[in-house]
Amino acid sequence: MIEPQSNAKAPVPATVYTPESSLAHPARMAREMFHDLLAARELSWRLAVRDLSAQYRQAFFGFAWALILPLANTAAWIFLSSSGVVSVGQTSLPYPVYVFVGTMLWAIFMDAVNAPLQGVTASKAMLAKINFPREAIVVSGIYQTLFNAAIKVGLLLAALLLLGINPGWNLLLFPFGLLSLVLAGTFVGLLITPVGVLYTDVGKAIPLLMQFLMYLTPVVFAMPREGVAATLFTLNPLTPLIMTARDWLTGGSPEFLGYFLAVNAVSALLLLAVWVVYRLAMPILIERMSA
Amino acid sequence: MSDTLIKVEGVSKKFCRSLKKSLWYGMQDLGNELLGRRHGGNGELRPEEFWAMKDVSFEIKRGEAVGIIGRNGSGKTTLLRMLSGLIKPDQGRIEMYGQVGGLIALGAGFNPILTGRENIYVNASILGLSKRQIDAKLDEIIDFAEIGEFIDSPVQNYSSGMAVRLGFSIATALNPDVLLLDEVLAVGDESFQRKCFERLGSLLDQRDKVLIFVSHNIRQVERICSRGILLDHGHVLVDASSSEACSAYHDKTLKDDYASRRARGGFSNYTGSGEISVEEVHLFGDGSAEPTDEIVMHAPATIGIRFHCHNMIEKPEVILGFHTQDSIYVASSSSYTLSRQPDLRPGEHYLECRVPDLMLVPGIYFLRLAFLDKHRRNMWDGHKLNPFKVVQDVRTNVMHMPQMTLVDMPFSWKVDGENIPPQSNS
């Protein structure tokens, strides 16, 4: 006999299903959310281990794939900038380092954006048939993003040291930069998931939109100092995240620290809100998945 | 502690026929949900929607094994998905007590590249087991699944039977208060199915569990369940003992089959070369000239076949037999076992075949009829003709008959040389 995990000796717990929206009882909903998140701990870890080991077991180049794409991207931009096709502006760092670090960080952000929708789509069959904490898919996606990010950052650091760039003590702060990228990415990803599960258009439109967004973020371009571009870059909440993370990794001093902290606080709140949406959406989505 | 583990009150659920609309309604429902409105509106149907389940109520107590039966689309799976909390009801209320385990998908979350052992951990955590609990049950799971040394090879190298065995073995190791089973016993070979039934039996012997079993296989339901709920178009038609519900299901099938045959006019379940057209097949009870669809067990039955030959047919072979709903051929007879094979001239013919003692046990059966020419080439071959019902006679005590029996042959028993006559029903 297996006892329910939290209230082992309590009388048989009752679960009630009614047509009412869970939002009608916010306190109960909050309790259920954190209970499920707790219950999802082990499962999300297992799912992450399952997906990662399957992913790397089946790929000949294994971890190298984490590096190949940003490296190819970097090469393209170094070529574009050195041949004078595109003028990327003045950077404090040597441009190759600037663009390499930028594309790496952007790739981590994109991993986080893609993870929730990919996870839910891949688990459709499971979701339609088994009632397990739905948070597990999202948390497992975060684990996988962090794991892949760790590999990317490890390779990045090795490359930086080879190029003679010393991050200094600021490196200790870099994990916060990384986490804030994953936090913001997870928020965006989870926001689009409910609609993305219903309509595949969303999954197709996201890479396009994200490509556009990348050019409004100081990833490959330097931060513009004046004009419309400067305003757009400054309004883009991803700017402080990318800039701060890059500065911490390369020994620069972040100029947007206050903005960075504000963006993080807002994304944390927003993530909480889309978590609620995700929970409410799941039964509706599951109904349509196999309908 | 209350004894009721499942309480379903006036539950309804609507679905949408069109995919495009269904997706759009999904968006609307999502919006309503976020505004805190009730799911499913006020019980009105939007265009293209229909009630997949309407006003269903029942209660299930500890120790009950309930079979949910019904034809395709009657709402069995919808009900099960609502009970497991996968989808929300549009109306009504469902209360579930205790831990609920669903065997709706065997081997959910199996990754083909990982080994069986790794997949046990993944699958069991999806079903809600912690690592400590899985560690404790690992050997039992591997033993029951009969996987042997394959446990450390990737699941993609497993036969489909092995994967299913592993899935069942993990799912039943969970040992929940309420176990929901959906058609899962249809898979696996016979010896494994027997093992599954034994495990379910031992689960039920604990007397404090609830088993909900959804199946098309009526004989499995009769065998496992004490109570049966017959669903029809999302309504509860019968909620009674499993034998009553199954018999009602048989009656319903019979009626529906007749209705659809009348609507189509004539037979459709046949293949033919065009040399013979079968016009009528009738079943007659003992001494009656009126066709019937009900025969008493162990009574005589006569089958009359009116057919038309379009040309001269030399020494045809006629095969007549009975089969069950799940296409098990119970008995058949060939005219080639007769001493003489008459030729058939062009024109109308009437064939009569008499069974002096119909030994079929109560249930629904169908006639099977085939005409072959002397080279054993198929001229007319029909299945699922004339559904009929065999009802219990007064003599035989079916209550004590072993289950999974189709034919009631006369057996006589002697204990230490002493003849013991069969028990009489009356």
Side-chain angles (χ1 to χ4, degrees), chain B residues 32-338:
Chain B
N32 285 332
E33 188 82 30
L34 293 182
L35 294 172
R37 293 199 195 124
R38 293 180 80 245
H39 190 66
N42 293 317
E44 71 283 347
L45 291 177
R46 292 169 285 190
E48 298 273 351
E49 276 189 333
F50 65 96
W51 290 110
M53 179 125 289
K54 186 75 184 143
D55 224 2
V56 167
S57 304
F58 56 83
E59 273 184 37
I60 298 177
K61 293 190 175 6
R62 277 183 194 282
E64 280 193 292
V66 183
I68 312 259
I69 51 179
R71 314 201 74 178
N72 284 328
S74 56
K76 306 186 291 290
T77 303
T78 307
L79 179 61
L80 216 56
R81 296 180 82 201
M82 282 196 284
L83 291 181
S84 50
L86 292 169
I87 57 179
K88 286 178 89 168
D90 284 324
Q91 287 178 328
R93 179 185 171 87
I94 298 174
E95 283 174 34
M96 306 282 290
Y97 297 87
Q99 199 188 16
V100 180
L103 255 73
I104 304 184
L106 288 182
F110 273 3
N111 187 309
I113 302 187
L114 304 187
T115 68
R117 193 185 298 273
E118 288 168 313
N119 271 308
I120 291 180
Y121 279 94
V122 175
N123 192 236
S125 1
I126 293 172
L127 296 173
L129 261 65
S130 70
K131 170 149 193 319
R132 199 167 39 88
Q133 290 166 329
I134 305 169
D135 285 340
K137 294 199 174 251
L138 191 66
D139 290 334
E140 185 195 334
I141 292 173
I142 298 173
D143 266 4
F144 188 82
E146 300 171 11
I147 298 283
E149 66 271 30
F150 270 95
I151 194 64
D152 287 312
S153 29
V155 167
Q156 60 185 354
N157 298 351
Y158 285 22
S159 72
S160 55
M162 286 163 81
V164 164
R165 290 207 297 273
L166 189 58
F168 184 87
S169 175
I170 298 168
T172 46
L174 189 64
N175 202 10
D177 296 311
V178 176
L179 184 61
L180 308 171
L181 286 173
D182 189 8
E183 299 279 4
V184 283
L185 297 181
V187 286
D189 60 15
E190 204 181 326
S191 75
F192 188 71
Q193 274 195 19
R194 203 165 47 236
K195 261 176 89 173
C196 294
F197 280 121
E198 275 163 21
R199 178 163 274 204
L200 291 179
S202 70
L203 213 86
L204 288 172
D205 286 344
Q206 299 171 20
R207 288 280 146 218
D208 60 346
K209 308 278 180 197
V210 158
L211 172 72
I212 299 210
F213 183 53
V214 165
S215 181
H216 278 116
N217 192 326
I218 299 304
R219 274 183 283 126
Q220 278 185 353
V221 172
E222 270 189 292
R223 178 173 170 186
I224 300 176
C225 301
S226 52
R227 176 174 160 196
I229 295 179
L230 171 61
L231 291 180
D232 179 50
H233 293 99
H235 296 270
V236 174
L237 211 61
V238 176
D239 180 356
S241 74
S242 73
S243 58
E244 274 174 76
C246 291
S247 135
Y249 175 79
H250 287 154
D251 285 348
K252 178 100 186 64
T253 318
L254 210 62
K255 259 208 323 250
D256 290 354
D257 274 4
Y258 258 131
S260 69
R261 235 181 72 197
R262 206 163 298 128
R264 282 198 311 267
F267 301 108
S268 63
N269 303 321
Y270 76 94
T271 51
S273 63
E275 291 151 274
I276 286 180
S277 6
V278 175
E279 273 140 23
E280 275 178 5
V281 178
H282 283 311
L283 189 69
F284 302 96
D286 192 12
S288 163
E290 275 299 301
T292 181
D293 58 2
E294 198 173 294
I295 303 281
V296 179
M297 183 182 179
H298 289 304
T302 304
I303 296 126
I305 303 151
R306 191 174 302 286
F307 62 99
H308 195 95
C309 290
H310 298 286
N311 39 19
M312 180 72 184
I313 297 168
E314 280 176 49
K315 298 193 185 352
E317 179 182 6
V318 185
I319 297 174
L320 187 69
F322 307 108
H323 66 86
T324 63
Q325 271 176 316
D326 42 353
S327 290
I328 296 172
Y329 287 87
V330 187
S332 57
S333 175
S334 161
S335 64
Y336 266 33
T337 57
L338 304 177

Side-chain angles (χ1 to χ4, degrees), chain B residues 351-371:
Chain B
L351 197 75
E352 209 177 76
C353 178
R354 188 179 142 86
V355 183
D357 175 2
L358 194 74
M359 293 185 194
L360 302 179
V361 304
I364 296 286
Y365 300 89
F366 297 83
L367 285 182
R368 183 257 156 130
L369 171 68
F371 287 88

